[in-house]
Amino acid sequence: MRSLLKRSIKRRDLLKYFGASLAGPAFKNLFRYKKVAAERLVSYVIPPEGVVPGLPNWYSSVCRQCAAGCGIQVKILEGRAKKIEGNPDFPVNYGSLCARGQAGLQVLYNPDRIKGPQLKVDGKFQKISWSRALSIASKRLSEIKAQEGEDSIHFLTEPLRGSLGSLFSTFAGGFETNVFSYDFTNDAGLMEANLRSFGEERFANYDIANSDYILSFGADFLDTWSSPVKHSKSFGQMRDGLVGKEGGRGRLVHLEPRLSVTGASADVWLAINPGTEGILALAIANVIIDEKLFDKSLGIDRAEWKKALENYSPKKASAESGVPKAEIVKIAREFIEHPASLALCGGQATAQVHGTSNAMAANILNFLAGNVGKKGGVFFNSPSPLDNNIEQSITVKGLSELSDKMAATEVAALLVYNVNPVFNMPEAVRFDENLRNVGFIVSFSSFMDETTAMADLILPSHTYLESWGDFVPLVDGGRRAVGLMQPVVMPVFNTRPVGDVLLSLAKNISGLPASLPEKKYFDFLKNSWKALYESVRESNQVEESFELFWEKSVQRGGW
Ligand code: SF4
């Protein structure tokens, strides 16, 4: 370069040198270009309708990370979901969200999601097209239906508290089989207890905000049990004394073997021996009856109750549960002294063999305190406004029966949606061992979990943030609400809505009744909301046209 500079460079020569230096890389890239797949930069000179580059849009939907069904709003910036917040209008969580709800984006963009349909060949999964996957599924199910009979095809799903439940029921009705709905956190025992105690096979709505004494048997209501965001807000109100009680704070006594979030927030946490919650609750009832502390307006026969509870003395219960006798007597007196006391039972206390009995024992305490249907007490959700959805979960016993059927080779095909029993069933159920007897397993999972790994065919479904749908919250806020989900982003991978897949299969499996005319789940959902609209219009709850009702519901995230 120095020698070059020593020479006098003419302007024309300088331009030549620059030209050559630019042309070199350009030619090199020209030849390299053929090897690289073409990519396009999409200009935002004309952005999609409603999009202003640099400004986020917020879309309402429903959190499906647990059965609580909180309302959410998702921040979308140039086509990507950036943040999830609580929907301030939704009458369950009123703008709040738990950590699990916030983590919904990790589900959506998780690189370990199943990215398209897969078929197991010689023990290994191979990627296949959707048309081939659907054709294999409909052909195999048609064959099984013809050869083994309709009742050899079974469905195993999470509880579907919305129109998707209705679609599953209608689809499975074509096979004359039952749909098994199962939730591993399993509140089936609690629902059964409510049926036996109060004639209501429903989840109860506990008025924590207006209570002044909570006695919780294993119900970790500030972390995972039931509707934790709603309960956390209510607990905050109870502690703040917003309901006008003097002193405000109320009292929380929590009985659970481990120090959970609720245990750590309690005034008293007692590490009870697992499985003895019901015995302890009956010992508290024993003291209430013995000391004539019960609500006299109940008109109960004290002698009869005394006899029924004679085996549950505080001394015996103390020996079984590990809770000191003096504590049992103290809790019984406090429970009645407080005018708005409330007994809860859930979590590990109901997800076990004695679950139903434990929950019934807690119901007895609510009954003796006379707080059923009273402010600060126990209420029951009104019936679901959507027809035919799958609210109930089977118990471990119910799932054992399915496992036994598989062992007896009575299940020729199993379609699994959003549950993983191979991982979370007790070993005694032998689910994985018996699943090997099922001839054709289809999984709709978006993740390669333990049950999906045993499937023959995977038809991966969208996540809730990519789907249309609706959901009736587990616990309502006094008025029955229905959350409405909308796709907030384009599908990230080559997945499909499970509703679309079922509708497609329904048309291609021979011999199914033509009860599912819709081609897309969106149409099925909208028809379901037309029925909801008609029912609420009849009761004068809306006056506008259906289209306006629908648009408003999409915008607000539900009705
Ligand atoms: S409590 Fe609400 S926000 Fe949290 S996971 Fe459940 S539905 Fe989502």
Side-chain angles (χ1 to χ4, degrees):
M1 194 66 173
R2 186 175 284 181
S3 61
L4 189 70
L5 290 173
K6 272 184 189 166
R7 281 185 267 145
S8 63
I9 301 172
K10 290 182 186 149
R11 184 172 168 274
R12 181 181 294 256
D13 292 337
L14 189 68
L15 288 176
K16 263 195 267 170
Y17 291 134
F18 274 124
S21 68
L22 288 172
F27 273 115
K28 211 169 148 193
N29 285 340
L30 194 65
F31 292 118
R32 199 187 278 163
Y33 175 77
K34 285 189 177 168
K35 294 180 193 164
V36 179
E39 288 183 19
R40 282 172 191 276
L41 284 176
V42 180
S43 155
Y44 253 44
V45 175
I46 308 172
E49 194 186 333
V51 171
V52 179
L55 289 183
N57 282 342
W58 289 85
Y59 293 99
S60 301
S61 192
V62 180
C63 178
R64 290 294 292 106
Q65 296 274 69
C66 86
C70 296
I72 55 172
Q73 289 186 327
V74 189
K75 179 182 178 181
I76 305 295
L77 198 60
E78 280 126 32
R80 282 186 72 83
K82 300 285 180 185
K83 183 83 175 75
I84 304 177
E85 298 287 5
N87 182 347
D89 285 341
F90 201 69
V92 170
N93 53 320
Y94 291 106
S96 299
L97 211 63
C98 74
R100 230 164 125 193
Q102 297 274 358
L105 296 183
Q106 317 304 323
V107 176
L108 176 66
Y109 292 121
N110 195 315
D112 292 335
R113 275 180 64 189
I114 297 171
K115 299 180 175 70
Q118 298 188 17
L119 176 71
K120 195 179 269 172
V121 180
D122 297 331
K124 287 194 177 151
F125 282 112
Q126 289 181 357
K127 291 177 189 167
I128 55 171
S129 67
W130 269 105
S131 58
R132 181 152 176 244
L134 290 173
S135 139
I136 291 170
S138 44
K139 188 164 171 269
R140 286 286 285 127
L141 290 171
S142 299
E143 283 167 4
I144 290 167
K145 183 170 174 287
Q147 290 161 13
E148 316 263 348
E150 291 172 340
D151 55 1
S152 64
I153 299 173
H154 289 71
F155 297 80
L156 187 57
T157 165
E158 62 177 351
L160 297 168
R161 310 167 61 84
S163 301
L164 190 59
S166 169
L167 174 57
F168 261 84
S169 307
T170 315
F171 183 85
F175 290 107
E176 293 181 1
T177 52
N178 283 330
V179 179
F180 289 81
S181 85
Y182 144 72
D183 178 356
F184 83 99
T185 55
N186 210 331
D187 278 311
L190 185 53
M191 297 224 199
E192 176 68 24
N194 289 343
L195 178 67
R196 292 196 209 167
S197 308
F198 305 117
E200 302 272 4
E201 195 178 9
R202 272 180 256 165
F203 211 84
N205 193 344
Y206 300 98
D207 188 6
I208 291 171
N210 290 298
S211 172
D212 58 1
Y213 188 94
I214 297 174
L215 177 58
S216 163
F217 296 92
D220 187 11
F221 63 92
L222 297 178
D223 192 12
T224 52
W225 181 70
S226 172
S227 190
V229 173
K230 176 180 162 47
H231 294 327
S232 299
K233 278 181 102 87
S234 302
F235 185 63
Q237 287 174 311
M238 172 184 152
R239 285 299 203 202
D240 283 350
L242 291 181
V243 287
K245 290 183 289 291
E246 272 188 28
R249 284 185 57 77
R251 192 162 171 79
L252 169 61
V253 176
H254 186 68
L255 300 123
E256 195 182 2
R258 72 184 180 107
L259 183 60
S260 60
V261 172
T262 307
S265 310
D267 299 289
V268 179
W269 164 60
L270 294 164
I272 187 171
N273 292 334
T276 61
E277 293 84 355
I279 295 170
L280 191 87
L282 291 178
I284 294 170
N286 182 313
V287 177
I288 292 171
I289 294 290
D290 196 45
E291 298 188 3
K292 299 183 191 163
L293 301 173
F294 54 88
D295 180 353
K296 306 297 178 306
S297 68
L298 295 170
I300 61 173
D301 183 337
R302 181 167 168 261
E304 210 174 285
W305 276 78
K306 212 167 155 48
K307 187 160 174 30
L309 293 168
E310 67 187 1
N311 287 331
Y312 299 94
S313 68
K315 192 177 165 198
K316 273 191 193 169
S318 174
E320 294 264 357
S321 65
V323 175
K325 183 184 157 198
E327 275 296 339
I328 298 173
V329 175
K330 187 174 167 220
I331 291 171
R333 289 173 186 162
E334 283 178 353
F335 191 73
I336 297 297
E337 273 164 19
H338 286 78
S341 53
L342 187 56
L344 313 177
C345 186
Q348 56 80 34
T350 48
Q352 52 164 291
V353 276
H354 302 304
T356 304
S357 314
N358 289 343
M360 284 177 73
N363 284 346
I364 285 174
L365 295 182
N366 286 322
F367 171 74
L368 289 176
N371 64 16
V372 180
K374 265 174 46 182
K375 192 173 174 183
V378 185
F379 294 87
F380 284 94
N381 288 329
S382 34
S384 169
L386 295 175
D387 289 337
N388 231 353
N389 58 18
I390 304 168
E391 280 196 45
Q392 311 298 24
S393 166
I394 51 170
T395 56
V396 174
K397 191 164 164 267
L399 210 60
S400 300
E401 282 164 14
L402 176 63
S403 185
D404 291 345
K405 278 177 118 182
M406 294 192 303
T409 61
E410 289 170 18
V411 180
L414 186 69
L415 285 78
V416 187
Y417 176 62
N418 263 1
V419 284
N420 185 12
V422 171
F423 178 72
N424 47 39
M425 269 296 102
E427 239 180 276
V429 176
R430 298 185 166 191
F431 201 90
D432 55 338
E433 191 184 316
N434 296 335
L435 191 60
R436 291 174 214 280
N437 290 339
V438 177
F440 185 53
I441 305 165
V442 180
S443 170
F444 298 104
S445 176
S446 197
F447 287 91
M448 188 59 80
D449 55 39
E450 288 76 0
T451 309
T452 303
M454 293 179 71
D456 299 291
L457 181 66
I458 306 173
L459 306 173
S461 55
H462 285 354
T463 63
Y464 63 99
L465 294 172
E466 299 160 301
S467 308
W468 283 102
D470 54 7
F471 193 77
V472 180
L474 186 64
V475 179
D476 60 36
R479 176 180 80 79
R480 212 58 173 131
V482 188
L484 187 56
M485 291 148 59
Q486 60 178 313
V488 297
V489 287
M490 297 292 283
V492 179
F493 300 114
N494 184 22
T495 54
R496 287 196 181 176
V498 66
D500 282 9
V501 173
L502 286 184
L503 287 169
S504 165
L505 290 178
K507 284 170 191 58
N508 292 308
I509 295 172
S510 45
L512 278 192
S515 50
L516 292 167
E518 296 89 351
K519 282 196 176 137
K520 292 279 173 198
Y521 178 63
F522 173 76
D523 299 321
F524 186 91
L525 176 74
K526 221 169 162 185
N527 286 341
S528 172
W529 275 65
K530 271 184 191 146
L532 171 68
Y533 166 77
E534 291 302 337
S535 70
V536 294
R537 199 169 61 133
E538 269 169 28
S539 54
N540 295 324
Q541 293 177 63
V542 286
E543 287 174 354
E544 66 248 10
S545 68
F546 170 70
E547 282 308 325
L548 195 55
F549 170 75
W550 171 258
E551 267 176 37
K552 278 185 178 174
S553 301
V554 171
Q555 196 178 25
R556 280 197 309 243
W559 168 79

